């Protein structure tokens, strides 16, 4: 068989001694009939695509068929980028909350020709493949982008010209909120819609809503300019621009070929661990409420001029000053030198032909770890910050999930505040005459999954737009943060050359209004309760119950024994006790002696306990007999007070409830340094200074070595006072000790 000059010619050869000529002729005629029928079928049948037509999808034929797509209408299938997948995931996770729904409002002075205006929008959808895309997430693999050959753009018109001006704005605001809450069905293209509203003043509002997985800010600006250019052309009798030579598919292909940069990211993560996030700097609201709030602040021209001059003088970009100010705020609020927050990078690779002309989602949000050392000169530090930002841009295409894995924080947020620096001219190209209409205003609404986002736009002025999650940040806390940010930004713009330690927040605004609870130590409160209700049940465990009187007598004896062993104010005393009634008595006895208790959970590994003992300088340990025997080697050479050797003592009849081990029935024994059975059960007044150490709890050590955190009696008292109104516990309420007493939440539960 050969095809030449458009014709297929078949030549047949055969052996007459094997097959006769008549049989061969029948074979030839049958073959000719079948191949003509096949050709006629192919000429008339609708084309059908198979998995081989979509090589980037990675789908086998069976997997493609499972999707049930109308393949004749599908132009291409390729993977969603990691950032697109993240946005899709979070918008599904918080469905109905408008997460990652972008909404742009264009206020037009004058009324456009509606049919031509709509045609310009439809031309944009036809020109850019990403605008004709839906996403498949239910095939068992990574999300796929399904590009349709053509889609119908949802374009609706609303004549609200009969409304009063105020009623119009109120009605439009409600409509826009409902539109954002509607979100998008990710499995139905297009993930965008356009609504045109006729205003009472004769102008129009155009509301363009789209899923953020389709486009970033740069793409939005470019798309709007294309649409307005096409509208001008159509009004003058011309045509819309042709489809460009570059598509978002080119970026996906380029991106999938990029090498990973695991070593660089691991180095960044190790240099500044542990780094403070927003959650370490600002407390969660006492009464969290769902939703988000926005706040805008436009810098005055004087402030802008000072910042621009400072950037020029210090030879850094304006973006570096913006990021540096937030790093200082986080450092001051958290009290830590190392901080981390997110920064958004453009993600448009210079080496990819046509990247600037493509419409799609290129941006990426990545962690920026910053060291804020007090002794560093400001300009030197800003130069280092700028160099770090430049280095990060060389790795700006790295998926955030990969960074989390490489730095050992998979499943947790690397940062919880984000700075978006926008320097593309959204307004400038749109302000001119558009064949009878002008853009009088542009407003963008979008919501991310981050607790706090700062969007900085630098067009004719500098505008700071904040959005915060009201379940994570209350308004008063946000106001202080925003005020302090402006304060620090102003200090960075000053001509002086301070060290970072000299850049401080104004104290009055740092603390803000707070309740003055005075100071009553926890021990004073417990003693008062025990005096008033000696026979009331204080603590129970597995059927055993202990009254306030019995608990007081037990802890008094223990405290006196510890004082005889030299325990004084802030002496750190180890507590190596299994969960029991004696655990509570041990904590109280140590505090009554003036000491600070250090939890040594006997279930912890030997090496960890040994390091905690050495680091905290413990010489005295309160233990139960079982734990002391199990950890005998660890406690060798230390003064060990066994709880079983400190009897409950003589207390009023009935104060030890049924089931409690009465005095004298606990197996006796000797302390390594003497007998405590004769210690007085009476209480005494031990003065407690507010700044006196109450306890030391060690961190988990997940980021390296465990670190001891000391907490004062004032902090402990404020914890209880500040949260008293949340729960309003009374004498008849019971709180379970749910956590290990070596975990900080146990402090709240115990007291």
């Amino acid at each position: 068989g050969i095809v030449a000059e458009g014709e297929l010619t078949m030549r047949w050869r055969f052996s007459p001694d094997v097959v006769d000529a008549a049989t061969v002729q029948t074979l030839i005629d049958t073959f000719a009939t079948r191949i003509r029928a096949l050709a006629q079928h192919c000429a008339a049948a609708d084309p059908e695509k198979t998995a081989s037509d979509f090589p980037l999808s990675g789908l086998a034929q069976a997997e493609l068929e499972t999707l049930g797509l109308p393949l004749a209408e599908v132009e291409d299938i390729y993977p969603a980028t990691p950032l697109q997948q993240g946005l899709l995931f979070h918008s599904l996770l918080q469905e109905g909350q408008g997460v990652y729904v972008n909404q742009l409002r264009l206020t037009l002075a004058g009324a456009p020709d509606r049919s031509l205006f709509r045609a310009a929008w439809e031309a944009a959808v036809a020109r850019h493949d990403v605008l004709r895309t839906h996403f498949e997430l239910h095939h068992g693999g990574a999300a796929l982008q399904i590009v349709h050959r053509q889609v119908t753009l949802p374009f609706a018109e609303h004549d609200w010209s009969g409304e009063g001006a105020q009623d119009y704005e109120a009605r439009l605001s409600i409509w826009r909120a409902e539109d954002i809450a509607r979100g998008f069905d990710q499995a139905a293209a297009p993930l965008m819609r356009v609504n045109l509203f006729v205003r009472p003043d004769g102008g129009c509002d155009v509301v363009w809503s789209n899923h953020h997985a389709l486009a970033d800010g740069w793409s939005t600006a470019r798309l709007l300019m294309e649409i307005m250019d096409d509208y001008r052309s159509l009004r003058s009798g011309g045509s819309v621009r042709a489809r460009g030579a570059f598509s978002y598919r080119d970026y996906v292909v380029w991106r999938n070929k990029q090498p990973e940069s695991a070593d660089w990211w691991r180095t960044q993560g190790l240099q500044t661990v542990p780094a403070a996030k927003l959650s370490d700097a600002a407390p969660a609201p006492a009464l969290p409420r769902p939703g988000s709030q926005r706040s805008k602040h436009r810098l005055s021209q004087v402030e802008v001029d000072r910042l621009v001059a400072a950037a020029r003088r210090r030879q850094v970009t304006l973006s570096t000053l913006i990021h540096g100010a937030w790093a200082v705020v986080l450092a001051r609020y958290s009290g830590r030198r190392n901080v981390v927050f997110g920064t958004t990078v453009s993600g448009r690779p210079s080496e990819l032909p046509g990247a600037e002309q493509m419409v799609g989602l290129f941006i990426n949000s990545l962690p920026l770890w910053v060291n804020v050392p007090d002794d560093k000169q400001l300009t030197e530090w800003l130069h280092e910050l700028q160099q770090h930002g430049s280095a990060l841009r060389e790795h700006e295409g790295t998926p955030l999930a990969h960074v989390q894995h490489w730095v050992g924080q998979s499943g947790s947020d690397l940062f919880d505040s984000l700075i978006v620096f926008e320097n593309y001219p959204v307004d400038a190209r749109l302000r001119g005459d558009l064949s009878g209409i002008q853009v009088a205003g542009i407003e963008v609404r979008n919501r991310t999954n981050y607790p706090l986002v700062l969007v900085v736009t630098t067009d004719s002025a500098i505008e700071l737009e904040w959005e915060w999650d009201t379940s994570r940040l209350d308004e008063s806390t946000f106001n202080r943060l925003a005020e302090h940010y402006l304060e620090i930004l102003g200090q960075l713009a000053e001509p002086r050359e301070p060290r970072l330690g000299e850049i401080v927040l104004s104290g009055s605004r740092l603390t803000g209004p707070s309740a003055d609870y005075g100071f009553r130590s926890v021990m004073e409160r417990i003693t008062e309760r025990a005096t008033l209700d000696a026979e009331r049940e204080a603590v129970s465990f597995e059927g055993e119950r202990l009254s306030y009187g019995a608990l007081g007598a037990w802890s008094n004896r223990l405290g006196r024994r510890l004082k005889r062993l030299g325990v004084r104010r802030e002496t750190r005393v180890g507590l190596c006790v299994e969960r029991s009634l004696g655990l509570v008595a041990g904590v109280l006895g140590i505090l009554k002696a003036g000491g600070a208790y250090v939890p040594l959970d006997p279930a912890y590994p030997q090496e960890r306990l040994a390091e905690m003992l050495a680091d905290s300088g413990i010489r005295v340990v309160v233990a139960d007999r079982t734990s002391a025997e199990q950890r005998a080697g660890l406690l060798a050479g230390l003064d060990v007070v066994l709880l079983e050797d400190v009897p409950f003592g003589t207390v009023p009849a009935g104060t030890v409830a049924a089931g409690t081990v009465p005095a004298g029935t606990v197996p006796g024994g000797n302390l390594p340094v003497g007998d405590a059975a004769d210690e007085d059960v009476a209480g005494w007044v031990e003065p407690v200074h507010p700044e006196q150490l109450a306890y030391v709890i060690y961190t988990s050590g997940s980021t390296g070595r465990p670190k001891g955190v000391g907490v004062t009696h004032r902090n402990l008292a404020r914890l209880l006072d500040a949260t008293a109104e949340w729960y309003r516990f009374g004498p008849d309420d019971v709180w379970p000790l749910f956590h290990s007493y070596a975990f900080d939440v146990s402090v709240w539960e115990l007291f």
Side-chain angles (χ1 to χ4, degrees):
I2 186 170
V3 175
E5 297 182 357
E7 289 186 349
L8 169 65
T9 301
M10 304 293 296
R11 294 190 301 164
W12 300 78
R13 292 187 300 170
F14 65 97
S15 260
D17 57 338
V18 175
V19 58
D20 59 67
T23 299
V24 172
Q25 189 60 52
T26 301
L27 177 62
I28 293 172
D29 293 343
T30 303
F31 179 85
T33 300
R34 296 296 176 88
I35 202 168
R36 287 192 182 98
L38 181 61
Q40 290 168 1
H41 166 78
C42 290
D46 291 332
E48 293 186 11
K49 292 184 176 180
T50 64
S52 61
D53 293 300
F54 309 111
L56 292 181
S57 70
L59 294 172
Q61 182 63 29
E63 294 171 323
L64 177 64
E65 292 173 358
T66 300
L67 295 180
L69 299 171
L71 294 179
E73 303 170 13
V74 174
E75 180 176 300
D76 208 345
I77 303 176
Y78 43 81
T81 66
L83 182 59
Q84 284 179 314
Q85 294 188 59
L87 268 54
L88 295 169
F89 169 76
H90 282 291
S91 56
L92 282 175
L93 193 65
Q94 303 175 67
E95 197 168 3
Q97 299 180 36
V99 174
Y100 292 118
V101 174
N102 290 346
Q103 189 189 74
L104 182 141
R105 173 187 178 182
L106 282 177
T107 299
L108 305 179
D113 182 308
R114 298 178 195 176
S115 62
L116 297 182
F117 193 64
R118 180 172 186 165
W121 278 94
E122 291 173 339
V125 173
R127 188 161 48 245
H128 297 289
D129 52 359
V130 74
L131 302 182
R132 304 190 308 279
T133 294
H134 85 260
F135 296 90
E136 286 289 340
L137 296 92
H138 304 296
H139 60 288
L144 292 171
Q145 305 190 63
I146 314 298
V147 183
H148 296 248
R149 290 187 174 278
Q150 59 184 19
V151 295
T152 300
L153 172 67
F155 191 104
E157 299 178 12
H158 312 266
D159 187 351
W160 290 4
S161 58
E163 300 277 350
Q166 288 187 342
D167 292 339
Y168 172 85
E169 286 297 330
R171 185 179 176 187
L172 183 62
S173 179
I174 294 172
W175 183 94
R176 291 180 64 190
E178 293 172 346
D179 176 67
I180 290 175
R182 276 177 59 195
F184 291 94
D185 179 359
Q186 299 177 4
L191 273 68
M192 57 177 285
R193 49 184 173 261
V194 179
N195 284 268
L196 188 147
F197 297 84
V198 181
R199 298 168 53 87
D201 59 10
C204 288
D205 279 312
V206 180
V207 179
W208 174 39
S209 306
N210 63 88
H211 197 291
H212 193 16
L214 300 187
D216 53 25
W218 181 278
S219 297
T220 296
R222 177 172 183 81
L223 195 62
L224 288 176
M225 290 185 285
E226 286 184 9
I227 291 168
M228 293 309 181
D229 288 344
D230 280 347
Y231 177 72
R232 287 192 190 96
S233 177
L234 291 171
R235 280 295 301 265
S236 61
S239 59
V240 298
R241 67 176 67 191
R243 179 167 182 169
F246 308 105
S247 76
Y248 192 59
R249 183 187 198 275
D250 302 326
Y251 168 69
V252 174
V253 172
W254 174 89
R255 209 200 156 285
N256 290 343
K257 293 179 179 178
Q258 299 312 298
E260 293 190 329
S261 48
D263 291 343
W264 188 85
W265 282 108
R266 287 193 182 103
T267 302
Q268 302 310 306
L270 289 173
Q271 285 177 347
T272 53
V273 171
K277 300 186 290 188
L278 176 67
S279 56
D280 300 305
L287 297 173
R289 57 187 181 86
S292 64
Q293 279 189 253
R294 290 174 175 271
S295 174
K296 282 187 179 182
H297 180 82
R298 195 177 184 89
L299 298 185
S300 68
Q301 193 57 51
V302 173
E303 291 172 318
V304 173
D305 292 343
R306 290 181 65 226
L307 281 173
V308 171
R312 187 180 301 115
R313 183 173 60 253
R314 302 189 191 281
Q315 297 182 321
V316 296
T317 63
L318 195 58
S319 173
T320 300
L321 291 178
I322 295 292
H323 286 84
W326 185 241
V328 173
V329 169
L330 286 181
R332 296 296 175 261
Y333 267 73
S334 66
R336 297 194 208 166
R337 189 176 73 174
N338 297 320
V339 301
V340 62
F341 54 92
T343 180
T344 297
V345 291
S346 70
R348 291 179 184 262
S350 58
E351 62 269 32
L352 175 63
E356 297 297 318
Q357 286 76 47
M358 293 179 193
V359 170
L361 181 68
F362 292 85
I363 61 169
N364 198 8
S365 297
L366 293 169
L368 189 65
W369 285 283
V370 184
N371 189 3
V372 190
D374 287 347
D375 58 350
K376 183 78 72 173
Q377 292 285 351
L378 174 58
T379 298
E380 181 186 359
W381 178 71
L382 289 172
H383 284 170
E384 292 176 356
L385 181 59
Q386 181 156 302
Q387 290 168 6
H388 179 50
S390 299
L392 183 144
R393 280 188 286 277
E394 295 178 12
H395 309 276
E396 63 182 6
T398 308
L400 184 58
H402 291 188
V403 180
Q404 289 175 297
H405 173 68
W406 292 332
V407 302
Q409 296 189 44
S410 296
S412 62
D413 294 331
L414 286 176
F415 52 88
D416 53 8
S417 62
L418 176 68
I419 294 182
V420 183
F421 193 82
E422 295 183 345
N423 58 0
Y424 45 82
V426 179
D427 294 43
R429 290 269 302 275
L430 301 176
R431 292 297 185 182
D433 182 72
L434 302 174
S435 300
I437 60 172
Q438 278 190 319
V439 177
I442 299 176
E443 181 188 352
V444 179
R445 288 185 187 176
N446 50 40
R447 184 181 174 192
T448 73
N449 65 300
Y450 293 106
L452 180 66
V453 178
L454 169 60
V455 179
V456 183
T457 54
T458 56
D459 185 9
S460 55
I462 297 178
E463 187 172 80
L464 310 179
E465 181 174 1
W466 302 85
E467 181 179 12
W468 70 96
D469 185 340
T470 51
S471 70
R472 304 280 294 277
L473 211 61
D474 61 34
E475 188 170 6
S476 61
T477 302
F478 162 74
N479 288 335
R480 288 200 302 275
L481 278 167
E483 185 179 0
H484 280 131
Y485 179 73
L486 290 173
E487 182 182 336
I488 295 298
L489 201 58
Q491 292 186 52
L492 298 191
E494 293 176 0
R496 66 190 182 101
E497 186 55 49
R499 296 186 182 275
L500 291 181
E502 299 172 43
I503 300 175
V504 296
L505 305 175
S506 55
S508 60
R509 286 187 287 181
L510 173 61
T511 56
S514 61
D516 182 8
Y517 298 107
F519 174 71
R520 287 186 72 217
S521 74
V522 170
M523 300 314 299
E524 181 182 346
R525 304 180 204 197
I526 291 177
T527 300
E528 180 181 278
R529 172 60 57 192
T531 302
L532 293 174
D533 294 313
E535 297 187 13
R536 182 183 283 270
E537 180 180 330
V539 59
S540 65
F541 177 71
E542 294 187 347
E544 296 182 350
R545 291 173 171 79
L546 201 61
S547 68
Y548 275 104
L551 178 62
W554 195 1
S555 57
N556 286 344
R557 270 190 163 143
L558 179 61
R560 290 184 182 277
R561 183 72 193 111
L562 292 173
K563 287 181 73 66
R564 287 209 293 123
L565 289 172
V567 173
R568 299 292 183 266
R569 281 188 179 182
E570 300 199 336
T571 301
R572 291 173 292 283
V573 179
L575 185 63
C576 189
V577 180
E578 292 182 333
R579 184 177 290 260
S580 63
L581 299 175
L583 168 62
V584 182
V587 169
L588 297 182
I590 294 170
L591 293 178
K592 285 183 176 181
Y597 75 93
V598 183
L600 302 172
D601 191 331
Y604 277 11
Q606 182 91 352
E607 295 79 6
R608 179 179 170 92
L609 292 173
E611 185 167 332
M612 292 162 63
L613 279 168
D615 183 65
S616 56
I618 289 173
R619 302 304 309 162
V620 180
V621 175
V622 174
D624 56 41
R625 191 178 304 281
T626 300
S627 301
E629 291 173 353
Q630 290 176 347
R631 299 295 185 180
L634 184 73
L635 303 180
L638 303 178
D639 290 337
V640 179
V641 178
L642 295 180
L643 285 169
E644 290 89 341
D645 288 340
V646 183
F648 292 92
T650 304
V651 293
T655 58
V656 180
T660 301
V661 181
T665 64
V666 179
N670 293 324
L671 293 170
V673 291
D675 190 357
D678 295 330
E679 297 288 0
D680 192 350
V681 300
W684 71 97
V685 177
E686 185 75 36
V688 176
H689 192 281
E691 302 309 319
Q692 182 178 326
L693 195 63
Y695 62 89
V696 176
I697 281 184
Y698 278 77
T699 62
S700 64
S702 59
T703 58
R705 291 183 59 184
K707 298 170 181 64
V709 180
V711 177
T712 67
H713 277 275
R714 186 194 300 277
N715 293 142
L716 175 55
R718 281 185 62 86
L719 172 67
L720 303 178
D721 289 332
T723 57
E725 284 301 308
W726 296 9
Y727 302 108
R728 300 186 181 181
F729 275 89
D732 296 320
D733 293 311
V734 178
W735 195 322
L737 176 59
F738 179 78
H739 295 86
S740 163
Y741 71 105
F743 183 56
D744 53 5
V745 178
S746 69
V747 177
W748 204 349
E749 296 171 345
L750 273 168
F751 292 103

